[in-house]
Amino acid sequence: MNLQTPSIITSPSNAPLSLTMFEGKEGIQQRGVSTYEGILTFKELVAHFGIEANSDVLSEEHKKQRDVGNDRVNGLKKYWQTSQGTVLPSMTLFVSEIDVMATHSIGGKTIVEATLKPDTSRLIGDGQGRTTFLNWLLSQEGNSEFESHTICYKLVVTHTVDLNTPHATDIIKQTFSDYHSNLKKPNKSISKHFDSSTPLARLVNDCLEIEVEGVPLIKRIALHDKIKQGHVWTFQQLTSMLQKFLKLTPATAIKQLNTPEKYDAALSLCTLFLTQVFKCIPADTLDSADYLKVHDNAMFTRAIFANALGLVGRSLFDEILIDYNVSWSKIDLSSLPIDNKDDPYWIKTGVTFKDGDKIKIIKATDTRIGSLICRQTRIYPCLELSA
């Protein structure tokens, strides 16, 4: 296969672009670059910034960006179709030079009017997936209303002949590494807790308002993934438990919770289930000063135990559908040593094993724990627990 050598990316529309930006002051300017902040309309972005060729066309050794994959673009399409109010993160654009036409000082900030010539070298440093998506969006019939929508950008001017010089290439690659390697992504708990765009995320957040014996569940759940005093599980673990209970995924929840009636029914079901669960577990033991030790020693605080409870809850609900005289109080954990993962019972039943002086939990034993609970409480196990 003959792959391309690097070429200069210029304006797809072969037209100049007028820019109005704030002049920045950042550490990267120590490397001889200038930085600016501004906004572009979707139409301006796709008309003046092309996408670097993927590695099946451009040799990997010459690439300054990762390939644009269909999964990234399809994810944006889905987001655009399902979000109640879209917002796109700021982009980072590199150009070799701009012509500054005028500067203005307003409120202690410098505003710059500049022109980007059509033949000036340019590259999208962060935002190729967004630009590919916006190209698709504007190409669809009847979407002209989105042409005037805007997106923020950071512009880095390298002051080089083009962006293929060693100096410019190094700056572009280092910026990519700084963005994606050195900056930590938010954990799953906080990402899901902050999400209100999907029915499942809204349902779990609404469950946090449930009160059990005077304590709202939000006090028992680590919303930011860090266990603190009083916390039983993380938000991600609670979400996983409720998914097991309702037999839902984020995708299927969109269809199964798509009306107020279905959503309210699911919330009522979760309320009954969670109320009984939190009556059964000794959550108050985590209110003590040595809560971390208690949390670490317990079995009921484990993610696999939470998943097991979700499957037990589903098993009991199946029973209730057949016999309305069965109640949620059938979930009773008093006969199990759930406050001590080192108890010999868990070794005997194949949930834990002894490794030297330590007791370790066997991975993926949530179904085994669920089966044990069903056996103790005489709940007929659901399909996942009887397989």
Side-chain angles (χ1 to χ4, degrees), residues 241 243-247 269 273 307-323 326-328 330-331 366-367 369-375 377-387:
M241 178 174 71
Q243 284 185 234
K244 299 279 188 185
F245 173 53
L246 297 172
K247 200 174 182 179
L269 196 59
F273 167 63
N307 285 339
L309 286 174
L311 294 170
V312 171
R314 193 196 314 161
S315 301
L316 182 56
F317 179 61
D318 289 344
E319 270 195 44
I320 293 172
L321 289 177
I322 298 172
D323 183 359
V326 176
S327 77
W328 289 99
K330 200 171 180 181
I331 297 178
D366 50 350
T367 54
I369 294 171
S371 296
L372 291 170
I373 296 173
C374 284
R375 187 184 308 164
T377 55
R378 297 191 177 184
I379 295 173
Y380 191 82
C382 63
L383 184 62
E384 284 81 356
L385 295 181
S386 57

mmCIF file of all heavy atoms in Angstrom, residues 241 243-247 269 273 307-323 326-328 330-331 366-367 369-375 377-387:
data_model
loop_
_atom_site.group_PDB
_atom_site.id
_atom_site.type_symbol
_atom_site.label_atom_id
_atom_site.label_comp_id
_atom_site.label_asym_id
_atom_site.label_seq_id
_atom_site.Cartn_x
_atom_site.Cartn_y
_atom_site.Cartn_z
ATOM 1 N N MET A 241 -26.464 -2.112 40.336
ATOM 2 C CA MET A 241 -27.424 -2.922 41.071
ATOM 3 C C MET A 241 -28.836 -2.739 40.523
ATOM 4 O O MET A 241 -29.573 -3.717 40.322
ATOM 5 C CB MET A 241 -27.395 -2.557 42.557
ATOM 6 C CG MET A 241 -28.407 -3.335 43.388
ATOM 7 S SD MET A 241 -28.267 -3.055 45.175
ATOM 8 C CE MET A 241 -28.876 -1.383 45.290
ATOM 9 N N GLN A 243 -29.647 -1.724 37.555
ATOM 10 C CA GLN A 243 -29.726 -2.298 36.207
ATOM 11 C C GLN A 243 -29.991 -3.796 36.294
ATOM 12 O O GLN A 243 -30.779 -4.340 35.508
ATOM 13 C CB GLN A 243 -28.419 -2.035 35.445
ATOM 14 C CG GLN A 243 -28.265 -0.618 34.941
ATOM 15 C CD GLN A 243 -27.016 -0.437 34.099
ATOM 16 O OE1 GLN A 243 -26.205 0.438 34.369
ATOM 17 N NE2 GLN A 243 -26.855 -1.253 33.087
ATOM 18 N N LYS A 244 -29.330 -4.475 37.244
ATOM 19 C CA LYS A 244 -29.580 -5.907 37.440
ATOM 20 C C LYS A 244 -31.022 -6.131 37.883
ATOM 21 O O LYS A 244 -31.696 -7.058 37.402
ATOM 22 C CB LYS A 244 -28.627 -6.462 38.505
ATOM 23 C CG LYS A 244 -27.157 -6.357 38.181
ATOM 24 C CD LYS A 244 -26.686 -7.451 37.271
ATOM 25 C CE LYS A 244 -25.178 -7.426 37.115
ATOM 26 N NZ LYS A 244 -24.690 -8.418 36.137
ATOM 27 N N PHE A 245 -31.477 -5.290 38.790
ATOM 28 C CA PHE A 245 -32.829 -5.429 39.331
ATOM 29 C C PHE A 245 -33.890 -5.252 38.246
ATOM 30 O O PHE A 245 -34.827 -6.046 38.132
ATOM 31 C CB PHE A 245 -33.023 -4.407 40.453
ATOM 32 C CG PHE A 245 -34.428 -4.320 40.984
ATOM 33 C CD1 PHE A 245 -35.092 -5.461 41.428
ATOM 34 C CD2 PHE A 245 -35.073 -3.099 41.048
ATOM 35 C CE1 PHE A 245 -36.385 -5.379 41.931
ATOM 36 C CE2 PHE A 245 -36.369 -3.007 41.542
ATOM 37 C CZ PHE A 245 -37.031 -4.158 41.980
ATOM 38 N N LEU A 246 -33.748 -4.214 37.440
ATOM 39 C CA LEU A 246 -34.746 -3.907 36.412
ATOM 40 C C LEU A 246 -34.478 -4.601 35.081
ATOM 41 O O LEU A 246 -35.268 -4.487 34.151
ATOM 42 C CB LEU A 246 -34.808 -2.394 36.185
ATOM 43 C CG LEU A 246 -35.245 -1.549 37.385
ATOM 44 C CD1 LEU A 246 -35.065 -0.066 37.082
ATOM 45 C CD2 LEU A 246 -36.690 -1.845 37.755
ATOM 46 N N LYS A 247 -33.320 -5.280 35.004
ATOM 47 C CA LYS A 247 -32.890 -5.933 33.763
ATOM 48 C C LYS A 247 -32.857 -4.913 32.623
ATOM 49 O O LYS A 247 -33.475 -5.084 31.570
ATOM 50 C CB LYS A 247 -33.816 -7.099 33.413
ATOM 51 C CG LYS A 247 -33.169 -8.109 32.453
ATOM 52 C CD LYS A 247 -34.055 -9.328 32.238
ATOM 53 C CE LYS A 247 -33.354 -10.337 31.322
ATOM 54 N NZ LYS A 247 -34.196 -11.548 31.124
ATOM 55 N N LEU A 269 -41.128 0.829 41.907
ATOM 56 C CA LEU A 269 -40.558 -0.498 42.116
ATOM 57 C C LEU A 269 -39.197 -0.400 42.800
ATOM 58 O O LEU A 269 -38.902 -1.136 43.755
ATOM 59 C CB LEU A 269 -40.432 -1.202 40.764
ATOM 60 C CG LEU A 269 -40.215 -2.713 40.758
ATOM 61 C CD1 LEU A 269 -41.353 -3.426 41.469
ATOM 62 C CD2 LEU A 269 -40.095 -3.209 39.318
ATOM 63 N N PHE A 273 -37.930 -1.836 46.560
ATOM 64 C CA PHE A 273 -36.752 -2.694 46.622
ATOM 65 C C PHE A 273 -35.658 -2.074 47.497
ATOM 66 O O PHE A 273 -35.147 -2.715 48.429
ATOM 67 C CB PHE A 273 -36.237 -2.948 45.204
ATOM 68 C CG PHE A 273 -34.866 -3.562 45.141
ATOM 69 C CD1 PHE A 273 -34.631 -4.823 45.666
ATOM 70 C CD2 PHE A 273 -33.815 -2.871 44.540
ATOM 71 C CE1 PHE A 273 -33.357 -5.389 45.609
ATOM 72 C CE2 PHE A 273 -32.551 -3.428 44.466
ATOM 73 C CZ PHE A 273 -32.318 -4.690 45.004
ATOM 74 N N ASN A 307 -24.563 -6.134 43.206
ATOM 75 C CA ASN A 307 -25.105 -6.785 42.007
ATOM 76 C C ASN A 307 -25.955 -8.005 42.374
ATOM 77 O O ASN A 307 -26.999 -8.254 41.761
ATOM 78 C CB ASN A 307 -23.961 -7.220 41.089
ATOM 79 C CG ASN A 307 -23.335 -6.050 40.350
ATOM 80 O OD1 ASN A 307 -23.960 -4.997 40.209
ATOM 81 N ND2 ASN A 307 -22.110 -6.219 39.887
ATOM 82 N N ALA A 308 -25.485 -8.755 43.368
ATOM 83 C CA ALA A 308 -26.231 -9.925 43.824
ATOM 84 C C ALA A 308 -27.608 -9.522 44.347
ATOM 85 O O ALA A 308 -28.620 -10.165 44.047
ATOM 86 C CB ALA A 308 -25.444 -10.658 44.908
ATOM 87 N N LEU A 309 -27.651 -8.426 45.107
ATOM 88 C CA LEU A 309 -28.926 -7.949 45.626
ATOM 89 C C LEU A 309 -29.871 -7.544 44.494
ATOM 90 O O LEU A 309 -31.085 -7.757 44.583
ATOM 91 C CB LEU A 309 -28.701 -6.767 46.569
ATOM 92 C CG LEU A 309 -28.119 -7.102 47.943
ATOM 93 C CD1 LEU A 309 -27.819 -5.826 48.714
ATOM 94 C CD2 LEU A 309 -29.072 -7.985 48.737
ATOM 95 N N GLY A 310 -29.306 -6.961 43.439
ATOM 96 C CA GLY A 310 -30.130 -6.606 42.287
ATOM 97 C C GLY A 310 -30.795 -7.822 41.679
ATOM 98 O O GLY A 310 -31.995 -7.805 41.345
ATOM 99 N N LEU A 311 -30.042 -8.919 41.575
ATOM 100 C CA LEU A 311 -30.590 -10.157 41.012
ATOM 101 C C LEU A 311 -31.595 -10.811 41.958
ATOM 102 O O LEU A 311 -32.599 -11.392 41.520
ATOM 103 C CB LEU A 311 -29.449 -11.124 40.694
ATOM 104 C CG LEU A 311 -28.501 -10.673 39.573
ATOM 105 C CD1 LEU A 311 -27.274 -11.563 39.502
ATOM 106 C CD2 LEU A 311 -29.221 -10.657 38.230
ATOM 107 N N VAL A 312 -31.338 -10.712 43.253
ATOM 108 C CA VAL A 312 -32.298 -11.222 44.240
ATOM 109 C C VAL A 312 -33.603 -10.436 44.162
ATOM 110 O O VAL A 312 -34.704 -11.005 44.203
ATOM 111 C CB VAL A 312 -31.703 -11.143 45.663
ATOM 112 C CG1 VAL A 312 -32.773 -11.465 46.718
ATOM 113 C CG2 VAL A 312 -30.527 -12.101 45.804
ATOM 114 N N GLY A 313 -33.484 -9.113 44.040
ATOM 115 C CA GLY A 313 -34.668 -8.274 43.917
ATOM 116 C C GLY A 313 -35.497 -8.627 42.700
ATOM 117 O O GLY A 313 -36.739 -8.673 42.763
ATOM 118 N N ARG A 314 -34.804 -8.900 41.586
ATOM 119 C CA ARG A 314 -35.548 -9.282 40.382
ATOM 120 C C ARG A 314 -36.241 -10.636 40.574
ATOM 121 O O ARG A 314 -37.369 -10.841 40.128
ATOM 122 C CB ARG A 314 -34.624 -9.359 39.173
ATOM 123 C CG ARG A 314 -35.430 -9.442 37.878
ATOM 124 C CD ARG A 314 -34.657 -9.904 36.684
ATOM 125 N NE ARG A 314 -33.378 -9.241 36.567
ATOM 126 C CZ ARG A 314 -32.393 -9.737 35.822
ATOM 127 N NH1 ARG A 314 -32.568 -10.874 35.187
ATOM 128 N NH2 ARG A 314 -31.252 -9.109 35.731
ATOM 129 N N SER A 315 -35.552 -11.549 41.257
ATOM 130 C CA SER A 315 -36.142 -12.867 41.528
ATOM 131 C C SER A 315 -37.413 -12.724 42.353
ATOM 132 O O SER A 315 -38.440 -13.362 42.062
ATOM 133 C CB SER A 315 -35.129 -13.741 42.277
ATOM 134 O OG SER A 315 -33.941 -13.917 41.530
ATOM 135 N N LEU A 316 -37.349 -11.877 43.389
ATOM 136 C CA LEU A 316 -38.521 -11.693 44.244
ATOM 137 C C LEU A 316 -39.656 -11.009 43.494
ATOM 138 O O LEU A 316 -40.832 -11.362 43.675
ATOM 139 C CB LEU A 316 -38.140 -10.875 45.480
ATOM 140 C CG LEU A 316 -39.261 -10.642 46.503
ATOM 141 C CD1 LEU A 316 -39.861 -11.964 46.967
ATOM 142 C CD2 LEU A 316 -38.750 -9.833 47.686
ATOM 143 N N PHE A 317 -39.336 -10.061 42.645
ATOM 144 C CA PHE A 317 -40.373 -9.382 41.868
ATOM 145 C C PHE A 317 -41.091 -10.362 40.957
ATOM 146 O O PHE A 317 -42.323 -10.301 40.802
ATOM 147 C CB PHE A 317 -39.765 -8.246 41.048
ATOM 148 C CG PHE A 317 -40.773 -7.508 40.207
ATOM 149 C CD1 PHE A 317 -41.837 -6.839 40.803
ATOM 150 C CD2 PHE A 317 -40.673 -7.489 38.824
ATOM 151 C CE1 PHE A 317 -42.785 -6.167 40.030
ATOM 152 C CE2 PHE A 317 -41.597 -6.823 38.050
ATOM 153 C CZ PHE A 317 -42.658 -6.157 38.655
ATOM 154 N N ASP A 318 -40.349 -11.301 40.374
ATOM 155 C CA ASP A 318 -40.976 -12.339 39.550
ATOM 156 C C ASP A 318 -41.972 -13.147 40.367
ATOM 157 O O ASP A 318 -43.052 -13.526 39.878
ATOM 158 C CB ASP A 318 -39.911 -13.273 38.963
ATOM 159 C CG ASP A 318 -39.076 -12.600 37.878
ATOM 160 O OD1 ASP A 318 -39.508 -11.540 37.384
ATOM 161 O OD2 ASP A 318 -37.993 -13.120 37.553
ATOM 162 N N GLU A 319 -41.613 -13.409 41.634
ATOM 163 C CA GLU A 319 -42.532 -14.142 42.520
ATOM 164 C C GLU A 319 -43.780 -13.320 42.811
ATOM 165 O O GLU A 319 -44.900 -13.828 42.811
ATOM 166 C CB GLU A 319 -41.828 -14.471 43.846
ATOM 167 C CG GLU A 319 -41.103 -15.785 43.859
ATOM 168 C CD GLU A 319 -40.747 -16.221 45.275
ATOM 169 O OE1 GLU A 319 -41.624 -16.107 46.159
ATOM 170 O OE2 GLU A 319 -39.617 -16.676 45.475
ATOM 171 N N ILE A 320 -43.584 -12.024 43.073
ATOM 172 C CA ILE A 320 -44.692 -11.141 43.415
ATOM 173 C C ILE A 320 -45.689 -11.049 42.264
ATOM 174 O O ILE A 320 -46.902 -10.949 42.473
ATOM 175 C CB ILE A 320 -44.169 -9.748 43.817
ATOM 176 C CG1 ILE A 320 -43.397 -9.843 45.135
ATOM 177 C CG2 ILE A 320 -45.297 -8.732 43.942
ATOM 178 C CD1 ILE A 320 -42.686 -8.570 45.532
ATOM 179 N N LEU A 321 -45.186 -11.097 41.031
ATOM 180 C CA LEU A 321 -46.073 -11.044 39.867
ATOM 181 C C LEU A 321 -46.997 -12.243 39.811
ATOM 182 O O LEU A 321 -48.121 -12.166 39.282
ATOM 183 C CB LEU A 321 -45.240 -10.960 38.580
ATOM 184 C CG LEU A 321 -44.503 -9.642 38.321
ATOM 185 C CD1 LEU A 321 -43.663 -9.760 37.048
ATOM 186 C CD2 LEU A 321 -45.487 -8.484 38.189
ATOM 187 N N ILE A 322 -46.528 -13.360 40.385
ATOM 188 C CA ILE A 322 -47.331 -14.585 40.384
ATOM 189 C C ILE A 322 -48.240 -14.638 41.609
ATOM 190 O O ILE A 322 -49.395 -15.061 41.540
ATOM 191 C CB ILE A 322 -46.409 -15.824 40.348
ATOM 192 C CG1 ILE A 322 -45.587 -15.824 39.047
ATOM 193 C CG2 ILE A 322 -47.220 -17.114 40.458
ATOM 194 C CD1 ILE A 322 -44.519 -16.897 38.998
ATOM 195 N N ASP A 323 -47.699 -14.181 42.738
ATOM 196 C CA ASP A 323 -48.452 -14.238 44.005
ATOM 197 C C ASP A 323 -48.356 -12.887 44.703
ATOM 198 O O ASP A 323 -47.322 -12.552 45.285
ATOM 199 C CB ASP A 323 -47.880 -15.343 44.893
ATOM 200 C CG ASP A 323 -48.655 -15.508 46.195
ATOM 201 O OD1 ASP A 323 -49.635 -14.751 46.415
ATOM 202 O OD2 ASP A 323 -48.277 -16.399 46.985
ATOM 203 N N VAL A 326 -46.966 -12.286 48.379
ATOM 204 C CA VAL A 326 -45.538 -12.235 48.697
ATOM 205 C C VAL A 326 -45.134 -10.777 48.857
ATOM 206 O O VAL A 326 -45.524 -9.922 48.056
ATOM 207 C CB VAL A 326 -44.703 -12.908 47.575
ATOM 208 C CG1 VAL A 326 -43.217 -12.770 47.872
ATOM 209 C CG2 VAL A 326 -45.088 -14.373 47.442
ATOM 210 N N SER A 327 -44.340 -10.477 49.873
ATOM 211 C CA SER A 327 -43.942 -9.080 50.115
ATOM 212 C C SER A 327 -42.430 -8.919 50.016
ATOM 213 O O SER A 327 -41.671 -9.897 50.058
ATOM 214 C CB SER A 327 -44.418 -8.624 51.500
ATOM 215 O OG SER A 327 -43.583 -9.145 52.503
ATOM 216 N N TRP A 328 -42.004 -7.659 49.936
ATOM 217 C CA TRP A 328 -40.575 -7.354 49.818
ATOM 218 C C TRP A 328 -39.808 -7.696 51.089
ATOM 219 O O TRP A 328 -38.585 -7.819 51.072
ATOM 220 C CB TRP A 328 -40.398 -5.869 49.480
ATOM 221 C CG TRP A 328 -40.825 -5.565 48.084
ATOM 222 C CD1 TRP A 328 -42.008 -5.037 47.675
ATOM 223 C CD2 TRP A 328 -40.081 -5.822 46.887
ATOM 224 N NE1 TRP A 328 -42.055 -4.940 46.298
ATOM 225 C CE2 TRP A 328 -40.872 -5.414 45.786
ATOM 226 C CE3 TRP A 328 -38.822 -6.361 46.634
ATOM 227 C CZ2 TRP A 328 -40.456 -5.518 44.472
ATOM 228 C CZ3 TRP A 328 -38.395 -6.472 45.313
ATOM 229 C CH2 TRP A 328 -39.208 -6.050 44.254
ATOM 230 N N LYS A 330 -39.502 -10.331 52.316
ATOM 231 C CA LYS A 330 -38.884 -11.651 52.156
ATOM 232 C C LYS A 330 -37.379 -11.549 51.972
ATOM 233 O O LYS A 330 -36.646 -12.498 52.210
ATOM 234 C CB LYS A 330 -39.529 -12.384 50.967
ATOM 235 C CG LYS A 330 -39.326 -13.885 51.002
ATOM 236 C CD LYS A 330 -40.168 -14.581 49.945
ATOM 237 C CE LYS A 330 -39.963 -16.095 49.997
ATOM 238 N NZ LYS A 330 -40.756 -16.807 48.975
ATOM 239 N N ILE A 331 -36.914 -10.372 51.531
ATOM 240 C CA ILE A 331 -35.466 -10.143 51.473
ATOM 241 C C ILE A 331 -35.006 -9.920 52.908
ATOM 242 O O ILE A 331 -35.267 -8.891 53.528
ATOM 243 C CB ILE A 331 -35.111 -8.921 50.598
ATOM 244 C CG1 ILE A 331 -35.540 -9.145 49.148
ATOM 245 C CG2 ILE A 331 -33.601 -8.657 50.657
ATOM 246 C CD1 ILE A 331 -35.253 -7.963 48.236
ATOM 247 N N ASP A 366 -21.014 -12.648 41.940
ATOM 248 C CA ASP A 366 -22.296 -12.014 42.267
ATOM 249 C C ASP A 366 -23.463 -12.985 42.113
ATOM 250 O O ASP A 366 -24.388 -12.987 42.931
ATOM 251 C CB ASP A 366 -22.519 -10.751 41.427
ATOM 252 C CG ASP A 366 -22.312 -10.963 39.945
ATOM 253 O OD1 ASP A 366 -21.806 -12.034 39.559
ATOM 254 O OD2 ASP A 366 -22.657 -10.059 39.161
ATOM 255 N N THR A 367 -23.425 -13.840 41.088
ATOM 256 C CA THR A 367 -24.524 -14.804 40.915
ATOM 257 C C THR A 367 -24.495 -15.862 42.012
ATOM 258 O O THR A 367 -25.555 -16.335 42.451
ATOM 259 C CB THR A 367 -24.445 -15.476 39.537
ATOM 260 O OG1 THR A 367 -23.148 -16.054 39.357
ATOM 261 C CG2 THR A 367 -24.698 -14.465 38.425
ATOM 262 N N ILE A 369 -23.426 -15.362 45.134
ATOM 263 C CA ILE A 369 -23.965 -14.710 46.332
ATOM 264 C C ILE A 369 -25.484 -14.581 46.223
ATOM 265 O O ILE A 369 -26.214 -14.818 47.181
ATOM 266 C CB ILE A 369 -23.314 -13.319 46.527
ATOM 267 C CG1 ILE A 369 -21.827 -13.478 46.827
ATOM 268 C CG2 ILE A 369 -23.990 -12.560 47.665
ATOM 269 C CD1 ILE A 369 -21.061 -12.160 46.828
ATOM 270 N N GLY A 370 -25.947 -14.199 45.028
ATOM 271 C CA GLY A 370 -27.386 -14.078 44.818
ATOM 272 C C GLY A 370 -28.101 -15.394 45.050
ATOM 273 O O GLY A 370 -29.179 -15.439 45.674
ATOM 274 N N SER A 371 -27.503 -16.486 44.590
ATOM 275 C CA SER A 371 -28.107 -17.811 44.780
ATOM 276 C C SER A 371 -28.145 -18.187 46.258
ATOM 277 O O SER A 371 -29.113 -18.786 46.739
ATOM 278 C CB SER A 371 -27.312 -18.861 44.000
ATOM 279 O OG SER A 371 -27.376 -18.613 42.612
ATOM 280 N N LEU A 372 -27.066 -17.827 46.984
ATOM 281 C CA LEU A 372 -27.016 -18.120 48.417
ATOM 282 C C LEU A 372 -28.110 -17.378 49.166
ATOM 283 O O LEU A 372 -28.769 -17.924 50.059
ATOM 284 C CB LEU A 372 -25.643 -17.742 48.982
ATOM 285 C CG LEU A 372 -24.457 -18.594 48.531
ATOM 286 C CD1 LEU A 372 -23.141 -17.964 48.971
ATOM 287 C CD2 LEU A 372 -24.576 -20.012 49.089
ATOM 288 N N ILE A 373 -28.308 -16.098 48.808
ATOM 289 C CA ILE A 373 -29.354 -15.307 49.464
ATOM 290 C C ILE A 373 -30.726 -15.891 49.158
ATOM 291 O O ILE A 373 -31.583 -16.007 50.046
ATOM 292 C CB ILE A 373 -29.275 -13.828 49.025
ATOM 293 C CG1 ILE A 373 -27.953 -13.208 49.488
ATOM 294 C CG2 ILE A 373 -30.448 -13.038 49.579
ATOM 295 C CD1 ILE A 373 -27.709 -11.802 48.950
ATOM 296 N N CYS A 374 -30.952 -16.267 47.902
ATOM 297 C CA CYS A 374 -32.234 -16.858 47.529
ATOM 298 C C CYS A 374 -32.482 -18.162 48.284
ATOM 299 O O CYS A 374 -33.612 -18.448 48.726
ATOM 300 C CB CYS A 374 -32.288 -17.105 46.022
ATOM 301 S SG CYS A 374 -32.548 -15.606 45.045
ATOM 302 N N ARG A 375 -31.434 -18.952 48.463
ATOM 303 C CA ARG A 375 -31.578 -20.220 49.177
ATOM 304 C C ARG A 375 -31.943 -19.971 50.642
ATOM 305 O O ARG A 375 -32.813 -20.635 51.204
ATOM 306 C CB ARG A 375 -30.271 -21.014 49.087
ATOM 307 C CG ARG A 375 -30.361 -22.426 49.652
ATOM 308 C CD ARG A 375 -29.007 -23.104 49.621
ATOM 309 N NE ARG A 375 -28.395 -23.033 48.298
ATOM 310 C CZ ARG A 375 -27.112 -23.272 48.070
ATOM 311 N NH1 ARG A 375 -26.309 -23.577 49.074
ATOM 312 N NH2 ARG A 375 -26.627 -23.210 46.851
ATOM 313 N N THR A 377 -33.402 -17.333 51.925
ATOM 314 C CA THR A 377 -34.695 -16.647 52.081
ATOM 315 C C THR A 377 -35.838 -17.366 51.375
ATOM 316 O O THR A 377 -36.976 -16.909 51.404
ATOM 317 C CB THR A 377 -34.587 -15.215 51.520
ATOM 318 O OG1 THR A 377 -34.120 -15.261 50.160
ATOM 319 C CG2 THR A 377 -33.616 -14.374 52.336
ATOM 320 N N ARG A 378 -35.501 -18.469 50.717
ATOM 321 C CA ARG A 378 -36.483 -19.264 49.976
ATOM 322 C C ARG A 378 -37.199 -18.440 48.901
ATOM 323 O O ARG A 378 -38.409 -18.526 48.707
ATOM 324 C CB ARG A 378 -37.493 -19.903 50.943
ATOM 325 C CG ARG A 378 -36.834 -20.877 51.902
ATOM 326 C CD ARG A 378 -37.834 -21.690 52.669
ATOM 327 N NE ARG A 378 -37.162 -22.659 53.530
ATOM 328 C CZ ARG A 378 -37.780 -23.586 54.275
ATOM 329 N NH1 ARG A 378 -39.104 -23.639 54.241
ATOM 330 N NH2 ARG A 378 -37.103 -24.398 55.019
ATOM 331 N N ILE A 379 -36.383 -17.642 48.226
ATOM 332 C CA ILE A 379 -36.859 -16.897 47.052
ATOM 333 C C ILE A 379 -36.493 -17.721 45.819
ATOM 334 O O ILE A 379 -35.343 -18.148 45.673
ATOM 335 C CB ILE A 379 -36.207 -15.497 46.976
ATOM 336 C CG1 ILE A 379 -36.649 -14.649 48.176
ATOM 337 C CG2 ILE A 379 -36.573 -14.817 45.665
ATOM 338 C CD1 ILE A 379 -35.919 -13.315 48.274
ATOM 339 N N TYR A 380 -37.454 -17.921 44.923
ATOM 340 C CA TYR A 380 -37.164 -18.701 43.713
ATOM 341 C C TYR A 380 -36.251 -17.879 42.818
ATOM 342 O O TYR A 380 -36.596 -16.747 42.447
ATOM 343 C CB TYR A 380 -38.449 -19.047 42.975
ATOM 344 C CG TYR A 380 -38.226 -20.053 41.878
ATOM 345 C CD1 TYR A 380 -38.167 -21.424 42.161
ATOM 346 C CD2 TYR A 380 -38.053 -19.638 40.570
ATOM 347 C CE1 TYR A 380 -37.939 -22.357 41.178
ATOM 348 C CE2 TYR A 380 -37.822 -20.560 39.545
ATOM 349 C CZ TYR A 380 -37.770 -21.925 39.855
ATOM 350 O OH TYR A 380 -37.533 -22.840 38.866
ATOM 351 N N PRO A 381 -35.060 -18.376 42.469
ATOM 352 C CA PRO A 381 -34.091 -17.577 41.719
ATOM 353 C C PRO A 381 -34.510 -17.282 40.295
ATOM 354 O O PRO A 381 -35.156 -18.106 39.637
ATOM 355 C CB PRO A 381 -32.822 -18.444 41.747
ATOM 356 C CG PRO A 381 -33.332 -19.855 41.923
ATOM 357 C CD PRO A 381 -34.562 -19.730 42.771
ATOM 358 N N CYS A 382 -34.144 -16.113 39.827
ATOM 359 C CA CYS A 382 -34.413 -15.751 38.426
ATOM 360 C C CYS A 382 -33.481 -16.540 37.512
ATOM 361 O O CYS A 382 -32.588 -17.262 37.992
ATOM 362 C CB CYS A 382 -34.211 -14.253 38.225
ATOM 363 S SG CYS A 382 -32.522 -13.651 38.498
ATOM 364 N N LEU A 383 -33.633 -16.373 36.228
ATOM 365 C CA LEU A 383 -32.900 -17.175 35.252
ATOM 366 C C LEU A 383 -31.393 -17.040 35.422
ATOM 367 O O LEU A 383 -30.649 -18.015 35.358
ATOM 368 C CB LEU A 383 -33.312 -16.772 33.828
ATOM 369 C CG LEU A 383 -32.701 -17.591 32.684
ATOM 370 C CD1 LEU A 383 -33.133 -19.062 32.802
ATOM 371 C CD2 LEU A 383 -33.113 -17.013 31.346
ATOM 372 N N GLU A 384 -30.910 -15.804 35.681
ATOM 373 C CA GLU A 384 -29.475 -15.588 35.808
ATOM 374 C C GLU A 384 -28.886 -16.321 37.011
ATOM 375 O O GLU A 384 -27.709 -16.695 37.004
ATOM 376 C CB GLU A 384 -29.166 -14.089 35.939
ATOM 377 C CG GLU A 384 -29.265 -13.303 34.650
ATOM 378 C CD GLU A 384 -30.699 -12.934 34.310
ATOM 379 O OE1 GLU A 384 -31.637 -13.360 35.040
ATOM 380 O OE2 GLU A 384 -30.903 -12.222 33.316
ATOM 381 N N LEU A 385 -29.697 -16.533 38.025
ATOM 382 C CA LEU A 385 -29.206 -17.206 39.232
ATOM 383 C C LEU A 385 -29.416 -18.729 39.196
ATOM 384 O O LEU A 385 -28.806 -19.442 39.983
ATOM 385 C CB LEU A 385 -29.925 -16.652 40.472
ATOM 386 C CG LEU A 385 -29.650 -15.176 40.778
ATOM 387 C CD1 LEU A 385 -30.407 -14.762 42.038
ATOM 388 C CD2 LEU A 385 -28.157 -14.917 40.962
ATOM 389 N N SER A 386 -30.222 -19.186 38.285
ATOM 390 C CA SER A 386 -30.501 -20.632 38.214
ATOM 391 C C SER A 386 -29.745 -21.300 37.087
ATOM 392 O O SER A 386 -29.822 -22.507 36.912
ATOM 393 C CB SER A 386 -32.001 -20.877 38.032
ATOM 394 O OG SER A 386 -32.494 -20.218 36.879
ATOM 395 N N ALA A 387 -29.020 -20.478 36.290
ATOM 396 C CA ALA A 387 -28.281 -21.056 35.146
ATOM 397 C C ALA A 387 -27.087 -21.875 35.638
ATOM 398 O O ALA A 387 -26.508 -21.587 36.661
ATOM 399 C CB ALA A 387 -27.812 -19.925 34.232
#
